[in-house]
Amino acid sequence: MNAHSGEAAQHREPAEQHQDTGLRARLVQAGVELVGREGVQALSLREIARRAGVSHGAPRRYFPTHLSLLSAIARQGFADLAARVTEVLGAGRPDPRAGLMTLARLYLDFARTNRGMYELMFRHDLLESNQLGLRETSLPLFTVLVDLVRQVEPRTEIPPPVVAGALWANLHGIAQLWEWGSLQLATGADDVEPLLRATLDAHLGPEGR
Amino acid sequence: MNAHSGEAAQHREPAEQHQDTGLRARLVQAGVELVGREGVQALSLREIARRAGVSHGAPRRYFPTHLSLLSAIARQGFADLAARVTEVLGAGRPDPRAGLMTLARLYLDFARTNRGMYELMFRHDLLESNQLGLRETSLPLFTVLVDLVRQVEPRTEIPPPVVAGALWANLHGIAQLWEWGSLQLATGADDVEPLLRATLDAHLGPEGR
DNA sequence: CGCGAATGGTAGACAGTGTCTATGAACGCA
DNA sequence: TGCGTTCATAGACACTGTCTACCATTCGCG
């Protein structure tokens, strides 16, 4: 990520996460807070600039277009998600099956508690999808998923990347349809947990196996 | 100014599906064509009005807001999808498993060939989600899915609606991530078919079973 | 020290958007 | 004939993203 070593530290701040006073970082920060508080539709360029305390023309020096600013905000979201994953999975994790369950729950939880950000992260019409550094941010996450799948089921005719892809798509679909309310309406459920267990059982085989 | 001289709307029209000259239908029609040709972002209220040959204020009489017009367009999309499903599944139904495969393929094919419309149909920020008649349009489709699931696997501890919900979410996720290109990038595949088969096998048990 | 230049932000213009309101044309019906 | 309802037009308003002209610092370096 990053890709912008040139910008970051003019003053060599001691890397304490607090206040990178550069406007670039302030804009992203303002965008992150804004999307968290008011959702994607609040992320107009001018409003972000307002929250950052600058004029509407200021962001243009760092982000040539609105989409590039939104992309930077979304990139922050991917980074946060990845951080949570490594934080949770980094600690000793003997059982890959349990790890996958944790990962799945984490994914859905992230989508639920960061609605706006999650929506932004998958609104390809708002992002520079084909730009370097965006999908690449979510790729290592996917390899983590593939590795876990490979561990939990080393022998099957279906290649682990395909299983992982199907599982990811399933989680993504659940996150989206659940937030939308469609799944509640369709299945009559009010808790996503059974759906989640059914999904993991489906892709990985039943728990006991 | 014109728009009225050449247009006398009361000339009989034999109810053949052709040209319901009412402005309301013309606007929806124009929107459907527009989203099919140029995508969701082309669906501005003023552009739709332009394509329908009326002023930008005209739609307001039939659709109080932009979202209500977009909702009507999306509703047309749901209707088209439902029509395709009943058309394909309506004929002799020998094997529910094959029926589900057909349904799944149809779903993905619809999403692929009607990208803009499919995107619109699930852009809840562009639709009056809690309005009557929208999610209800997709509900019968879901019951069809549940019925097929119930037939193919009558005994399992997981309730058929849950299996159907997970399957639907999976298809939706695949459609979305595939169209975005994420799944191709992640799995390295260039054909969605293996993913589709793996998904059905996962939720319904392996083919032979 | 001094001065040109680069850096980083402001402010205004422009076309486009959704919504609202005032206006007016055409028609049905008494 | 005249009135009222229906239906579309046109303009205004507050936004939006982009572009461009303009300053104000600050820095490099003679």
Side-chain angles (χ1 to χ4, degrees):
Chain A
M1 131 76 153
N2 176 350
H4 261 211
S5 49
E7 200 289 324
Q10 187 77 311
H11 287 290
R12 188 176 124 250
E13 288 293 336
E16 290 296 336
Q17 41 124 24
H18 196 44
Q19 258 167 1
D20 186 347
T21 45
L23 180 52
R24 180 187 176 95
R26 253 168 56 215
L27 286 167
V28 173
Q29 175 89 3
V32 169
E33 290 173 6
L34 191 54
V35 74
R37 197 162 6 249
E38 308 193 18
V40 173
Q41 45 224 49
L43 283 182
S44 78
L45 187 141
R46 291 169 112 105
E47 183 62 26
I48 297 175
R50 240 170 268 141
R51 304 284 176 129
V54 291
S55 73
H56 68 274
R60 186 158 233 286
R61 190 157 304 267
Y62 304 94
F63 303 98
T65 180
H66 186 205
L67 294 199
S68 64
L69 173 52
L70 295 188
S71 300
I73 296 170
R75 198 148 33 224
Q76 181 66 44
F78 278 113
D80 288 354
L81 176 58
R84 287 205 203 179
V85 168
T86 59
E87 172 192 4
V88 168
L89 288 196
R93 183 58 61 175
D95 185 11
R97 185 66 149 78
L100 278 171
M101 193 63 183
T102 306
L103 189 59
R105 260 194 273 262
L106 180 73
Y107 194 85
L108 290 191
D109 190 63
F110 180 88
R112 219 195 69 238
T113 58
N114 304 58
R115 297 196 183 206
M117 179 58 91
Y118 185 78
E119 183 183 347
L120 173 66
M121 286 161 61
F122 290 95
R123 277 285 299 277
H124 68 283
D125 59 310
L126 294 184
L127 308 177
E128 299 170 313
S129 344
N130 39 10
Q131 205 67 18
L132 278 296
L134 226 180
R135 288 194 295 212
E136 281 70 5
T137 315
S138 63
L139 205 74
L141 269 177
F142 186 73
T143 66
V144 169
L145 187 62
V146 173
D147 284 349
L148 283 176
V149 166
R150 208 187 304 269
Q151 289 178 41
V152 76
E153 199 148 18
R155 49 186 159 188
T156 171
E157 57 275 15
I158 305 175
V162 172
V163 174
L167 179 55
W168 179 31
N170 210 336
L171 291 177
H172 180 67
I174 289 175
Q176 199 139 326
L177 295 180
W178 189 266
E179 181 190 334
W180 165 272
S182 304
L183 280 176
Q184 293 91 319
L185 189 95
T187 66
D190 63 337
D191 184 14
V192 77
E193 186 69 15
L195 203 57
L196 187 55
R197 304 193 73 88
T199 294
L200 283 207
D201 284 355
H203 289 279
L204 306 175
E207 179 89 40
R209 170 20 177 197
Chain B
M1 342 200 150
N2 56 24
H4 239 276
S5 45
E7 200 71 42
Q10 273 91 340
H11 275 299
R12 71 121 189 132
E13 281 307 332
E16 291 293 337
Q17 45 124 23
H18 196 45
Q19 260 164 358
D20 186 347
T21 46
L23 179 52
R24 180 188 178 95
R26 255 168 55 215
L27 286 168
V28 173
Q29 174 89 3
V32 169
E33 290 173 4
L34 191 55
V35 73
R37 197 163 6 250
E38 309 192 19
V40 173
Q41 34 214 21
L43 283 183
S44 78
L45 187 143
R46 291 168 112 106
E47 182 62 26
I48 298 175
R50 241 169 268 139
R51 304 284 176 127
V54 293
S55 73
H56 68 274
R60 185 156 235 284
R61 188 157 307 266
Y62 304 95
F63 304 98
T65 180
H66 185 206
L67 294 198
S68 63
L69 173 52
L70 295 188
S71 299
I73 297 171
R75 199 149 28 225
Q76 182 66 42
F78 278 112
D80 289 356
L81 176 58
R84 287 205 202 179
V85 168
T86 59
E87 172 192 6
V88 168
L89 288 196
R93 61 178 81 246
D95 184 13
R97 185 65 150 78
L100 278 171
M101 192 65 182
T102 305
L103 189 58
R105 260 195 273 263
L106 179 73
Y107 194 84
L108 290 190
D109 190 64
F110 180 88
R112 220 196 68 239
T113 58
N114 303 57
R115 298 196 182 206
M117 179 59 92
Y118 185 77
E119 184 183 347
L120 173 66
M121 286 161 60
F122 290 95
R123 278 285 297 279
H124 68 282
D125 59 310
L126 294 184
L127 309 177
E128 298 171 313
S129 350
N130 39 9
Q131 206 66 20
L132 277 296
L134 226 180
R135 289 196 294 212
E136 281 69 6
T137 317
S138 63
L139 205 74
L141 269 177
F142 186 72
T143 67
V144 169
L145 187 62
V146 173
D147 283 351
L148 283 176
V149 167
R150 210 186 303 268
Q151 287 177 41
V152 76
E153 199 147 16
R155 50 184 160 190
T156 171
E157 57 276 15
I158 305 176
V162 172
V163 175
L167 179 55
W168 178 30
N170 210 338
L171 292 177
H172 180 67
I174 290 175
Q176 199 139 323
L177 294 180
W178 188 266
E179 181 191 334
W180 191 10
S182 304
L183 281 175
Q184 294 92 320
L185 190 94
T187 67
D190 63 336
D191 184 14
V192 76
E193 186 70 15
L195 204 56
L196 188 56
R197 305 193 74 87
T199 293
L200 283 208
D201 284 356
H203 290 278
L204 307 175
E207 180 88 40
R209 193 324 193 206

